[in-house]
Amino acid sequence: MIVSIDEIQEEIIDEFSMFEDWEERYQYMIDLGKELPLIDDQYKTESNIIKGCQSKVWVHAEMKDDKVEFTADSDAIITKGIIAILIRVFSNQHPKDIIDADTSFIDKIGLKEHLSPTRANGLVSMVKQLKMYAIAYQTQLN
């Protein structure tokens, strides 16, 4: 059964609402980062680094059965948690669904307002980059 992007976003909103404060939410994000499907070392290249992030974030995308599969890594624990959340939402989804996805869950969990301005910009860059991969794959499908 394929879980839709919206369903995954709802799960994340529910998970974040269980925590009382941001200290616990940050800890949860760090834990999610530890479970991140790690990028293969061969893809830790300059071309896979997301521009606009303060820390280094590498993302690799592959197309499997008309779905985009993402792997990633970061040299910063909070950033690794952020990309882990985004990959959970977008990985194994059809490119068109990724392109059309609404990412309002980021505001609903209050993520952007609890990040430093540079991290918030990095978050926007990560979303943009994941969508760019999806656009590239969608073009191949057409």
Short mmCIF file of all heavy atoms in Angstrom, two decimals, residues 72-118:
data_model
loop_
_atom_site.label_atom_id
_atom_site.label_comp_id
_atom_site.label_asym_id
_atom_site.label_seq_id
_atom_site.Cartn_x
_atom_site.Cartn_y
_atom_site.Cartn_z
N ALA A 72 20.28 10.63 1.90
CA ALA A 72 20.92 11.89 2.25
C ALA A 72 21.83 11.73 3.45
O ALA A 72 21.84 10.69 4.11
CB ALA A 72 19.86 12.94 2.55
N ASP A 73 22.59 12.78 3.72
CA ASP A 73 23.38 12.86 4.93
C ASP A 73 23.71 14.32 5.18
O ASP A 73 23.59 15.15 4.28
CB ASP A 73 24.68 12.05 4.79
CG ASP A 73 25.32 11.75 6.15
OD1 ASP A 73 24.71 12.10 7.20
OD2 ASP A 73 26.41 11.16 6.18
N SER A 74 24.10 14.62 6.40
CA SER A 74 24.50 15.97 6.75
C SER A 74 25.56 15.89 7.82
O SER A 74 25.63 14.92 8.57
CB SER A 74 23.31 16.78 7.27
OG SER A 74 23.77 18.03 7.74
N ASP A 75 26.39 16.93 7.90
CA ASP A 75 27.43 16.97 8.93
C ASP A 75 26.93 17.63 10.21
O ASP A 75 27.67 17.79 11.16
CB ASP A 75 28.69 17.67 8.39
CG ASP A 75 28.42 19.10 7.95
OD1 ASP A 75 27.26 19.58 8.06
OD2 ASP A 75 29.37 19.75 7.48
N ALA A 76 25.64 18.01 10.24
CA ALA A 76 25.08 18.64 11.44
C ALA A 76 23.85 17.84 11.89
O ALA A 76 23.01 17.49 11.06
CB ALA A 76 24.69 20.08 11.14
N ILE A 77 23.72 17.58 13.19
CA ILE A 77 22.66 16.67 13.65
C ILE A 77 21.25 17.21 13.47
O ILE A 77 20.37 16.46 13.09
CB ILE A 77 22.88 16.19 15.12
CG1 ILE A 77 23.07 17.37 16.07
CG2 ILE A 77 24.04 15.23 15.20
CD1 ILE A 77 23.12 16.97 17.53
N ILE A 78 21.03 18.49 13.71
CA ILE A 78 19.67 19.04 13.53
C ILE A 78 19.32 19.02 12.04
O ILE A 78 18.22 18.62 11.65
CB ILE A 78 19.55 20.48 14.09
CG1 ILE A 78 19.73 20.49 15.62
CG2 ILE A 78 18.22 21.11 13.69
CD1 ILE A 78 18.54 20.04 16.44
N THR A 79 20.27 19.45 11.21
CA THR A 79 20.05 19.47 9.76
C THR A 79 19.77 18.07 9.24
O THR A 79 18.91 17.87 8.38
CB THR A 79 21.29 20.06 9.05
OG1 THR A 79 21.64 21.28 9.71
CG2 THR A 79 21.01 20.34 7.60
N LYS A 80 20.46 17.09 9.80
CA LYS A 80 20.25 15.70 9.40
C LYS A 80 18.81 15.29 9.74
O LYS A 80 18.16 14.57 8.98
CB LYS A 80 21.25 14.82 10.14
CG LYS A 80 21.48 13.48 9.54
CD LYS A 80 22.70 12.86 10.20
CE LYS A 80 22.89 11.45 9.75
NZ LYS A 80 24.18 10.92 10.20
N GLY A 81 18.31 15.76 10.88
CA GLY A 81 16.92 15.49 11.27
C GLY A 81 15.93 16.13 10.33
O GLY A 81 14.92 15.54 9.98
N ILE A 82 16.24 17.36 9.91
CA ILE A 82 15.34 18.08 8.98
C ILE A 82 15.26 17.35 7.65
O ILE A 82 14.17 17.09 7.14
CB ILE A 82 15.83 19.54 8.77
CG1 ILE A 82 15.75 20.33 10.08
CG2 ILE A 82 15.00 20.23 7.68
CD1 ILE A 82 16.44 21.68 10.03
N ILE A 83 16.41 16.98 7.10
CA ILE A 83 16.39 16.30 5.79
C ILE A 83 15.74 14.92 5.94
O ILE A 83 15.06 14.46 5.04
CB ILE A 83 17.80 16.24 5.13
CG1 ILE A 83 17.70 15.82 3.65
CG2 ILE A 83 18.75 15.31 5.86
CD1 ILE A 83 17.09 16.82 2.71
N ALA A 84 15.89 14.30 7.11
CA ALA A 84 15.24 12.99 7.35
C ALA A 84 13.72 13.12 7.27
O ALA A 84 13.05 12.27 6.69
CB ALA A 84 15.66 12.43 8.72
N ILE A 85 13.19 14.20 7.84
CA ILE A 85 11.73 14.44 7.79
C ILE A 85 11.29 14.64 6.34
O ILE A 85 10.31 14.05 5.88
CB ILE A 85 11.34 15.67 8.65
CG1 ILE A 85 11.54 15.35 10.13
CG2 ILE A 85 9.89 16.08 8.38
CD1 ILE A 85 11.41 16.56 11.06
N LEU A 86 12.04 15.45 5.59
CA LEU A 86 11.67 15.74 4.20
C LEU A 86 11.74 14.47 3.34
O LEU A 86 10.87 14.23 2.51
CB LEU A 86 12.57 16.83 3.62
CG LEU A 86 12.42 18.20 4.27
CD1 LEU A 86 13.42 19.18 3.68
CD2 LEU A 86 11.00 18.74 4.11
N ILE A 87 12.77 13.67 3.57
CA ILE A 87 12.91 12.44 2.80
C ILE A 87 11.78 11.46 3.13
O ILE A 87 11.25 10.79 2.26
CB ILE A 87 14.31 11.82 3.02
CG1 ILE A 87 15.30 12.62 2.19
CG2 ILE A 87 14.33 10.34 2.65
CD1 ILE A 87 16.70 12.12 2.23
N ARG A 88 11.40 11.43 4.39
CA ARG A 88 10.28 10.57 4.78
C ARG A 88 9.01 10.98 4.02
O ARG A 88 8.24 10.13 3.58
CB ARG A 88 10.06 10.69 6.29
CG ARG A 88 8.94 9.83 6.78
CD ARG A 88 8.93 9.82 8.27
NE ARG A 88 7.60 9.60 8.78
CZ ARG A 88 7.23 9.85 10.03
NH1 ARG A 88 8.09 10.32 10.89
NH2 ARG A 88 6.00 9.61 10.41
N VAL A 89 8.82 12.27 3.83
CA VAL A 89 7.64 12.76 3.13
C VAL A 89 7.72 12.47 1.62
O VAL A 89 6.76 12.01 1.03
CB VAL A 89 7.47 14.29 3.36
CG1 VAL A 89 6.40 14.87 2.45
CG2 VAL A 89 7.13 14.57 4.82
N PHE A 90 8.88 12.72 1.03
CA PHE A 90 8.99 12.68 -0.44
C PHE A 90 9.53 11.39 -1.05
O PHE A 90 9.33 11.14 -2.22
CB PHE A 90 9.86 13.83 -0.93
CG PHE A 90 9.24 15.19 -0.72
CD1 PHE A 90 9.97 16.23 -0.18
CD2 PHE A 90 7.92 15.43 -1.08
CE1 PHE A 90 9.41 17.50 0.00
CE2 PHE A 90 7.36 16.69 -0.90
CZ PHE A 90 8.10 17.72 -0.37
N SER A 91 10.24 10.58 -0.29
CA SER A 91 10.86 9.39 -0.87
C SER A 91 9.81 8.35 -1.24
O SER A 91 8.79 8.22 -0.57
CB SER A 91 11.89 8.80 0.08
OG SER A 91 12.84 8.05 -0.66
N ASN A 92 10.08 7.61 -2.30
CA ASN A 92 9.18 6.56 -2.80
C ASN A 92 7.83 7.10 -3.24
O ASN A 92 6.80 6.45 -3.09
CB ASN A 92 9.01 5.45 -1.74
CG ASN A 92 10.33 4.80 -1.43
OD1 ASN A 92 11.05 4.40 -2.34
ND2 ASN A 92 10.67 4.73 -0.16
N GLN A 93 7.83 8.31 -3.76
CA GLN A 93 6.62 8.93 -4.29
C GLN A 93 6.82 9.19 -5.78
O GLN A 93 7.94 9.29 -6.26
CB GLN A 93 6.33 10.25 -3.57
CG GLN A 93 6.10 10.12 -2.08
CD GLN A 93 4.77 9.47 -1.71
OE1 GLN A 93 3.86 9.39 -2.54
NE2 GLN A 93 4.66 9.02 -0.48
N HIS A 94 5.72 9.33 -6.49
CA HIS A 94 5.76 9.63 -7.92
C HIS A 94 6.24 11.08 -8.09
O HIS A 94 5.83 11.95 -7.31
CB HIS A 94 4.35 9.46 -8.51
CG HIS A 94 4.36 9.45 -10.00
ND1 HIS A 94 4.36 10.61 -10.73
CD2 HIS A 94 4.40 8.43 -10.89
CE1 HIS A 94 4.39 10.29 -12.02
NE2 HIS A 94 4.42 8.98 -12.14
N PRO A 95 7.10 11.34 -9.08
CA PRO A 95 7.62 12.71 -9.26
C PRO A 95 6.52 13.78 -9.28
O PRO A 95 6.67 14.83 -8.65
CB PRO A 95 8.35 12.66 -10.60
CG PRO A 95 8.66 11.23 -10.83
CD PRO A 95 7.64 10.42 -10.09
N LYS A 96 5.43 13.51 -9.98
CA LYS A 96 4.37 14.51 -10.09
C LYS A 96 3.78 14.85 -8.71
O LYS A 96 3.49 16.00 -8.41
CB LYS A 96 3.26 14.04 -11.03
CG LYS A 96 2.21 15.11 -11.26
CD LYS A 96 1.35 14.82 -12.46
CE LYS A 96 0.33 15.89 -12.75
NZ LYS A 96 0.31 17.06 -11.88
N ASP A 97 3.65 13.84 -7.85
CA ASP A 97 3.12 14.07 -6.50
C ASP A 97 4.08 14.92 -5.67
O ASP A 97 3.65 15.73 -4.85
CB ASP A 97 2.84 12.74 -5.79
CG ASP A 97 1.75 11.94 -6.50
OD1 ASP A 97 0.90 12.56 -7.18
OD2 ASP A 97 1.75 10.70 -6.40
N ILE A 98 5.36 14.70 -5.88
CA ILE A 98 6.37 15.51 -5.16
C ILE A 98 6.30 16.96 -5.63
O ILE A 98 6.28 17.89 -4.82
CB ILE A 98 7.79 14.94 -5.38
CG1 ILE A 98 7.89 13.52 -4.82
CG2 ILE A 98 8.84 15.86 -4.75
CD1 ILE A 98 9.16 12.77 -5.18
N ILE A 99 6.21 17.14 -6.95
CA ILE A 99 6.15 18.49 -7.52
C ILE A 99 4.92 19.23 -6.99
O ILE A 99 5.00 20.40 -6.62
CB ILE A 99 6.12 18.43 -9.07
CG1 ILE A 99 7.41 17.80 -9.60
CG2 ILE A 99 5.89 19.82 -9.66
CD1 ILE A 99 7.34 17.33 -11.04
N ASP A 100 3.78 18.54 -6.95
CA ASP A 100 2.52 19.17 -6.54
C ASP A 100 2.33 19.25 -5.03
O ASP A 100 1.38 19.87 -4.56
CB ASP A 100 1.32 18.39 -7.12
CG ASP A 100 1.33 18.42 -8.64
OD1 ASP A 100 1.98 19.31 -9.22
OD2 ASP A 100 0.67 17.54 -9.24
N ALA A 101 3.23 18.63 -4.27
CA ALA A 101 3.04 18.54 -2.81
C ALA A 101 3.05 19.91 -2.15
O ALA A 101 3.84 20.79 -2.47
CB ALA A 101 4.12 17.66 -2.20
N ASP A 102 2.14 20.00 -1.20
CA ASP A 102 2.04 21.19 -0.37
C ASP A 102 2.88 20.87 0.87
O ASP A 102 2.76 19.79 1.43
CB ASP A 102 0.55 21.34 -0.03
CG ASP A 102 0.29 22.25 1.14
OD1 ASP A 102 1.20 22.99 1.52
OD2 ASP A 102 -0.83 22.21 1.67
N THR A 103 3.74 21.76 1.28
CA THR A 103 4.58 21.47 2.45
C THR A 103 4.17 22.30 3.67
O THR A 103 4.99 22.69 4.48
CB THR A 103 6.07 21.72 2.13
OG1 THR A 103 6.20 23.03 1.60
CG2 THR A 103 6.61 20.71 1.14
N SER A 104 2.88 22.53 3.80
CA SER A 104 2.39 23.34 4.92
C SER A 104 2.60 22.66 6.27
O SER A 104 2.56 23.31 7.30
CB SER A 104 0.91 23.67 4.73
OG SER A 104 0.17 22.47 4.70
N PHE A 105 2.87 21.34 6.25
CA PHE A 105 3.12 20.64 7.51
C PHE A 105 4.32 21.25 8.24
O PHE A 105 4.38 21.22 9.46
CB PHE A 105 3.34 19.14 7.28
CG PHE A 105 4.73 18.76 6.84
CD1 PHE A 105 5.64 18.27 7.77
CD2 PHE A 105 5.12 18.90 5.52
CE1 PHE A 105 6.93 17.92 7.37
CE2 PHE A 105 6.40 18.55 5.12
CZ PHE A 105 7.31 18.07 6.06
N ILE A 106 5.25 21.83 7.48
CA ILE A 106 6.44 22.46 8.08
C ILE A 106 6.00 23.60 9.01
O ILE A 106 6.50 23.74 10.12
CB ILE A 106 7.40 22.97 6.98
CG1 ILE A 106 7.99 21.77 6.21
CG2 ILE A 106 8.50 23.83 7.58
CD1 ILE A 106 8.72 22.13 4.94
N ASP A 107 5.02 24.39 8.54
CA ASP A 107 4.50 25.48 9.38
C ASP A 107 3.63 24.93 10.50
O ASP A 107 3.65 25.45 11.62
CB ASP A 107 3.69 26.46 8.53
CG ASP A 107 4.57 27.16 7.50
OD1 ASP A 107 5.75 27.43 7.82
OD2 ASP A 107 4.09 27.44 6.39
N LYS A 108 2.86 23.87 10.22
CA LYS A 108 1.97 23.30 11.22
C LYS A 108 2.72 22.75 12.43
O LYS A 108 2.22 22.80 13.55
CB LYS A 108 1.06 22.23 10.62
CG LYS A 108 -0.01 22.83 9.74
CD LYS A 108 -0.94 21.77 9.17
CE LYS A 108 -1.94 22.40 8.21
NZ LYS A 108 -2.38 21.48 7.17
N ILE A 109 3.92 22.21 12.20
CA ILE A 109 4.69 21.70 13.35
C ILE A 109 5.54 22.83 13.94
O ILE A 109 6.22 22.62 14.94
CB ILE A 109 5.55 20.46 13.01
CG1 ILE A 109 6.59 20.75 11.93
CG2 ILE A 109 4.66 19.28 12.62
CD1 ILE A 109 7.53 19.56 11.64
N GLY A 110 5.53 24.01 13.31
CA GLY A 110 6.26 25.16 13.85
C GLY A 110 7.75 25.10 13.61
O GLY A 110 8.53 25.76 14.29
N LEU A 111 8.14 24.29 12.64
CA LEU A 111 9.57 24.08 12.41
C LEU A 111 10.30 25.35 12.00
O LEU A 111 11.31 25.71 12.60
CB LEU A 111 9.75 22.98 11.34
CG LEU A 111 11.17 22.48 11.11
CD1 LEU A 111 11.83 22.03 12.40
CD2 LEU A 111 11.15 21.32 10.12
N LYS A 112 9.78 26.03 10.99
CA LYS A 112 10.48 27.20 10.46
C LYS A 112 10.73 28.26 11.53
O LYS A 112 11.81 28.82 11.62
CB LYS A 112 9.69 27.80 9.29
CG LYS A 112 10.57 28.06 8.08
CD LYS A 112 9.81 28.74 6.99
CE LYS A 112 9.53 27.77 5.86
NZ LYS A 112 8.64 28.30 4.85
N GLU A 113 9.71 28.51 12.37
CA GLU A 113 9.87 29.57 13.37
C GLU A 113 10.82 29.19 14.50
O GLU A 113 11.27 30.04 15.25
CB GLU A 113 8.51 29.99 13.93
CG GLU A 113 7.81 28.91 14.70
CD GLU A 113 6.30 29.08 14.73
OE1 GLU A 113 5.69 29.24 13.66
OE2 GLU A 113 5.76 29.06 15.84
N HIS A 114 11.14 27.89 14.64
CA HIS A 114 12.06 27.46 15.69
C HIS A 114 13.46 27.18 15.16
O HIS A 114 14.30 26.63 15.86
CB HIS A 114 11.50 26.23 16.43
CG HIS A 114 10.40 26.60 17.36
ND1 HIS A 114 9.09 26.62 16.96
CD2 HIS A 114 10.43 27.00 18.65
CE1 HIS A 114 8.34 27.01 17.98
NE2 HIS A 114 9.12 27.24 19.01
N LEU A 115 13.70 27.56 13.93
CA LEU A 115 15.04 27.42 13.36
C LEU A 115 15.67 28.80 13.23
O LEU A 115 14.96 29.79 13.08
CB LEU A 115 14.95 26.78 11.96
CG LEU A 115 14.44 25.35 11.88
CD1 LEU A 115 14.29 24.94 10.43
CD2 LEU A 115 15.36 24.39 12.61
N SER A 116 16.99 28.83 13.26
CA SER A 116 17.68 30.10 13.02
C SER A 116 17.38 30.49 11.56
O SER A 116 17.08 29.63 10.73
CB SER A 116 19.18 29.91 13.21
OG SER A 116 19.68 29.00 12.24
N PRO A 117 17.47 31.79 11.25
CA PRO A 117 17.18 32.22 9.87
C PRO A 117 17.98 31.46 8.81
O PRO A 117 17.45 31.09 7.78
CB PRO A 117 17.57 33.70 9.87
CG PRO A 117 17.39 34.12 11.29
CD PRO A 117 17.74 32.92 12.13
N THR A 118 19.26 31.17 9.10
CA THR A 118 20.06 30.45 8.10
C THR A 118 19.57 29.02 7.94
O THR A 118 19.54 28.49 6.83
CB THR A 118 21.56 30.43 8.48
OG1 THR A 118 21.68 30.06 9.85
CG2 THR A 118 22.22 31.76 8.24
#
